[in-house]
Amino acid sequence: MQQCYEQSRTGAVVLFVDAESGMGKSELVDHFIKEVQFEDARAVSFYSRCYERESIPYKAFDGIADDLSRYWVKQDTRESNRLLPRRAQLLSRLFPVLGRVKAISGSPEQTVNQADPQEVRRWMFACFRFVLQQIADDRPLILYIDDFQ
């Protein structure tokens, strides 16, 4: 994990931690993230968990959106606006919890109702990706999805 974290300073890295159930994978990752945040107070981590029987859209990213909203509302106006993508209102359509972010709820509504639904979904995820990239450009960012399925 440390090696992947070091590699992530030059670009995105994906790491899958795989072992049998009950082997301590979650505890290991939790410990690693706490260690990273202890060593670098600027490091940010967003957590999500997939539940096998849960059937919400984009369940792997739902918790990450929750953590992102908590992070974003704590930012000052300048930083909050820096994170804003074009078509920011789409973020609250993708994850309603992001609607509580003033920068998003106060951004101008873009007309997308006439657009193809698949195109709108691409725009929504492009906005989400933009925000995460803006954060990662400024500080170490760890996205942790537990029980990714």
Side-chain angles (χ1 to χ4, degrees):
M1 281 189 278
Q2 185 64 39
Q3 182 180 14
C4 286
Y5 180 71
E6 294 300 324
Q7 290 174 350
S8 74
R9 294 175 190 263
T10 59
V13 174
V14 176
L15 172 66
F16 290 94
V17 178
D18 187 28
E20 291 183 33
S21 181
M23 296 297 290
K25 298 178 297 291
S26 298
E27 185 65 32
L28 176 68
V29 174
D30 288 340
H31 176 77
F32 175 75
I33 291 172
K34 286 176 185 162
E35 188 176 289
V36 165
Q37 291 176 320
F38 178 77
E39 291 175 7
D40 185 350
R42 295 173 12 93
V44 175
S45 72
F46 298 150
Y47 170 84
S48 191
R49 180 179 177 92
C50 293
Y51 295 96
E52 192 172 340
R53 291 182 168 77
E54 189 174 52
S55 62
I56 60 171
Y58 318 118
K59 68 180 179 178
F61 295 97
D62 190 58
I64 288 173
D66 291 343
D67 282 355
L68 173 60
S69 72
R70 283 188 283 275
Y71 171 85
W72 205 339
V73 298
K74 293 177 185 175
Q75 303 308 305
D76 62 33
T77 303
R78 189 176 132 266
E79 175 63 9
S80 187
N81 289 333
R82 184 184 77 83
L83 299 178
L84 270 181
R86 287 183 57 231
R87 297 186 178 108
Q89 287 284 330
L90 290 175
L91 288 168
S92 60
R93 285 175 62 179
L94 181 62
F95 297 110
V97 70
L98 292 173
R100 72 186 198 129
V101 176
K102 287 182 186 179
I104 294 172
S105 62
S107 68
E109 183 77 39
Q110 299 276 336
T111 305
V112 295
N113 294 333
Q114 307 291 333
D116 172 50
Q118 288 182 341
E119 185 69 15
V120 172
R121 187 172 38 239
R122 279 192 289 276
W123 291 339
M124 288 190 289
F125 275 100
C127 289
F128 192 60
R129 183 175 52 248
F130 175 87
V131 174
L132 295 175
Q133 285 176 316
Q134 290 296 100
I135 295 169
D137 284 349
D138 188 49
R139 60 188 63 238
L141 174 63
I142 300 171
L143 304 179
Y144 171 32
I145 303 173
D146 198 3
D147 281 338
F148 186 73
Q149 344 187 353

